[in-house]
Amino acid sequence: MRTTARLLTGSALAVAAAGLACAPAHAGDADGLEVFPSSVVPGGQVTVNTAACGDGGTAAGDAGAVGAGAFTLAPSTHAGDAIGQFRVPPSAQPGTYEIAATCAEGGRRVIGDLVVTLTSQRQPVHPRGSVKTGVGGALGPDPVQTAAGVAALAVAAAGGTWLLHRRARGDGI
């Protein structure tokens, strides 16, 4: 029992230590380039912002990887943020693209990822039609098959009733 408790305690401490070691690495990424929306369809508008350039800082953006070219990031109403926009070309192919910005003062370069997809996440695709589970169904795609199924059930019910009636009279089967 003691060995099991020591093993579980040691494992829990190891996981906690690993979590604490990774926390500062994630927090340091706050000055990166934020891309909104992170996933877009070709022809869509993209907004990027960063706090890496400081108060009143500007930056030169580069969306050449996706084919949008250069754009400017200017100071925004949020203290310390620079913001810019560009449009993804309608000819852009699906994939993940690196968007970059270089601060005017200090030359600091920050990057962010943009995912180009063929379907928008804002407009989910809803299934259409019926489920292909066999012949029949009240709302199936083929009314002839539905009528044939109903007729087969009616014949089976009539035949079963006739056999039960005959058996009850004693005529034999």
Side-chain angles (χ1 to χ4, degrees), residues 8 28-29 35 37 47 49 58 81 107 124 133 153 170:
L8 291 175
D29 194 31
V35 180
T47 302
N49 66 359
T58 61
D81 280 356
T133 59
L153 287 173

Side-chain angles (χ1 to χ4, degrees), residues 149-165:
V150 169
L153 287 173
V155 167
T161 303
W162 178 73
L163 286 175
L164 287 175
H165 181 66

Side-chain angles (χ1 to χ4, degrees), residues 14-111:
V15 169
L20 289 175
C22 292
H26 179 67
D29 194 31
D31 286 342
L33 189 67
E34 298 174 359
V35 180
F36 300 105
S38 61
S39 179
V40 68
V41 295
Q45 184 80 19
V46 178
T47 302
V48 296
N49 66 359
T50 185
C53 299
D55 265 348
T58 61
D62 179 20
V66 74
F71 62 97
T72 303
L73 283 84
S76 75
T77 56
H78 294 92
D81 280 356
I83 189 168
Q85 293 183 333
F86 65 91
R87 184 168 301 279
V88 175
S91 61
Q93 296 297 313
T96 301
Y97 296 93
E98 184 178 277
I99 309 301
T102 306
C103 296
E105 291 182 26
R108 183 170 181 192
R109 186 172 190 266
V110 290
I111 58 171

